[in-house]
Amino acid sequence: MREDSSHGSGKARLLTFGVLLLVAAVAAAVLSWAASSRPAGNTLRYEAAKTALQILAVVVIGGFATLATFTYQSTRTQEMQRLARQEERRHRLEDLAADKRDRQDDALRTLLQDTLVSYNATKKLRRKLRAVIEERFTIEAYDKYMFELIDRQLEFEQFARLCPLIDDNRLQNPLIGEPTHLLDPRPECESLEYSYRKIERYLNRIIREYEKSRAKVASTPAGIPISNLSKLSAFLGSRFPRVASRHMDKIVVILHTAVLQPPHLTPEPPTVRRERPRQPRPDTPVVSSG
């Protein structure tokens, strides 16, 4: 369509200038004929020469006016086409950005949901173990519970490997405006991967104890007290809330804040200050220590 418009405009311009040149040529011929014999006033040749001069003047002025008009129209048409291309490109970029934002939101929501499922499964296992903490641990029970814990540890390891692959600048500095007790003065500690790694490594220490202690438990048919397994006992005590729950709170805040952040908002680096812990905001999901 743009090529047809330019082609039509070019043909109109050539036709106009062709007509002007033809008129100018006729006027010049008449002027040459009339002026060849130096005509006196009030004669046919004199009037013809005067008329030819007027026509030539009109042709010259009209030619410049036509050229200016065509130049203005051409410039305006090109500017409108440029603006139309810019608008089309802007809409295309907005559509791409919206599609990317939708995919990013889906990835963050899925990660948050899967994380909560894994964390709640870990808390469920912990509560089942606390219910039998006074009993002696046989190898069958030890294997059963540790196999469940291994699954949870592998899930958090998977999350730690997955989150760096999420291309989303909302995760670069997501804790702005959040409770400052969740902040860490070291920048690398503000990443999702760091928090996932802390939980995964904590669970892995219990699993390493299982690998070392399984033979001992298996050699005791009556089982051994859970208190003899130091890492597992700490998992059932206050160690788990101090380590895993704090980092789980941070993960939830990071993902929740990122999903709710308006598009095209680039956060500024926060000023980290140590303050006494405050209650999370009402609209932020709260993860209990369990």
Side-chain angles (χ1 to χ4, degrees):
M1 182 178 296
R2 293 170 185 165
E3 292 181 357
D4 293 343
S5 176
S6 300
H7 183 65
S9 177
K11 288 179 63 176
R13 184 184 307 176
L14 290 176
L15 180 61
T16 301
F17 280 109
V19 172
L20 289 175
L21 287 175
L22 179 61
V23 173
V26 172
V30 172
L31 179 62
S32 176
W33 168 77
S36 61
S37 60
R38 296 180 179 274
N42 297 325
T43 62
L44 178 60
R45 285 178 179 264
Y46 178 82
E47 293 298 330
K50 187 169 64 172
T51 302
L53 282 173
Q54 292 174 348
I55 292 175
L56 283 175
V58 170
V59 168
V60 171
I61 295 173
F64 281 113
T66 302
L67 179 62
T69 300
F70 276 119
T71 301
Y72 170 75
Q73 290 178 343
S74 177
T75 302
R76 189 168 182 272
T77 300
Q78 291 176 359
E79 180 65 16
M80 292 177 63
Q81 291 175 350
R82 184 183 67 82
L83 293 176
R85 288 194 298 269
Q86 286 184 346
E87 186 70 12
E88 181 181 350
R89 182 173 181 272
R90 185 178 66 83
H91 284 303
R92 187 164 59 249
L93 291 177
E94 287 179 352
D95 291 341
L96 291 175
D99 180 67
K100 181 180 180 181
R101 173 67 183 250
D102 290 341
R103 288 185 282 107
Q104 289 173 334
D105 286 349
D106 289 342
L108 294 180
R109 290 192 183 98
T110 300
L111 181 59
L112 177 58
Q113 180 179 358
D114 292 346
T115 301
L116 290 174
V117 169
S118 296
Y119 182 70
N120 288 336
T122 305
K123 291 198 302 179
K124 180 179 179 180
L125 173 62
R126 181 170 178 263
R127 289 173 180 176
K128 288 193 294 185
L129 283 168
R130 290 173 67 179
V132 297
I133 193 171
E134 301 298 331
E135 301 178 8
R136 299 180 68 85
F137 234 23
T138 62
I139 188 60
E140 292 80 8
Y142 201 21
D143 285 342
K144 173 186 174 182
Y145 290 121
M146 288 302 101
F147 287 166
E148 288 188 43
L149 192 64
I150 288 172
D151 290 338
R152 305 291 83 78
Q153 182 266 331
L154 291 175
E155 288 169 354
F156 278 99
E157 181 179 344
Q158 177 182 340
F159 298 148
R161 292 181 176 180
L162 175 64
C163 61
L165 303 179
I166 300 177
D167 179 21
D168 195 329
N169 58 7
R170 292 174 294 174
L171 299 179
Q172 298 301 317
N173 197 9
L175 292 180
I176 296 175
E178 298 303 327
T180 54
H181 70 282
L182 295 177
L183 295 174
D184 193 296
R186 295 170 295 173
E188 68 274 11
C189 295
E190 296 303 333
S191 69
L192 278 175
E193 183 181 7
Y194 177 84
S195 294
Y196 280 124
R197 288 293 181 193
K198 290 293 289 186
I199 298 176
E200 180 269 326
R201 288 168 183 167
Y202 173 74
L203 298 178
N204 197 39
R205 286 195 290 270
I206 304 173
I207 294 169
R208 285 201 300 268
E209 180 186 60
Y210 166 68
E211 294 171 350
K212 295 177 181 179
S213 303
R214 187 182 185 282
K216 178 181 178 182
V217 177
S219 64
T220 308
I224 64 173
I226 295 181
S227 58
N228 289 2
L229 304 169
S230 60
K231 302 297 183 184
L232 185 59
S233 297
F235 172 67
L236 303 181
S238 60
R239 179 66 177 167
F240 179 77
R242 288 203 308 269
V243 176
S245 296
R246 179 178 182 275
H247 288 284
M248 191 63 199
D249 286 341
K250 183 186 293 186
I251 290 170
V252 171
V253 168
I254 289 175
L255 294 176
H256 182 260
T257 304
V259 170
L260 295 183
Q261 184 172 295
H264 313 304
L265 178 61
T266 303
E268 297 292 337
T271 301
V272 178
R273 295 184 304 168
R274 288 295 182 180
E275 297 181 3
R276 297 180 63 183
R278 295 181 296 176
Q279 293 296 325
R281 296 186 309 183
D283 60 342
T284 302
V286 178
V287 180
S288 63
S289 58

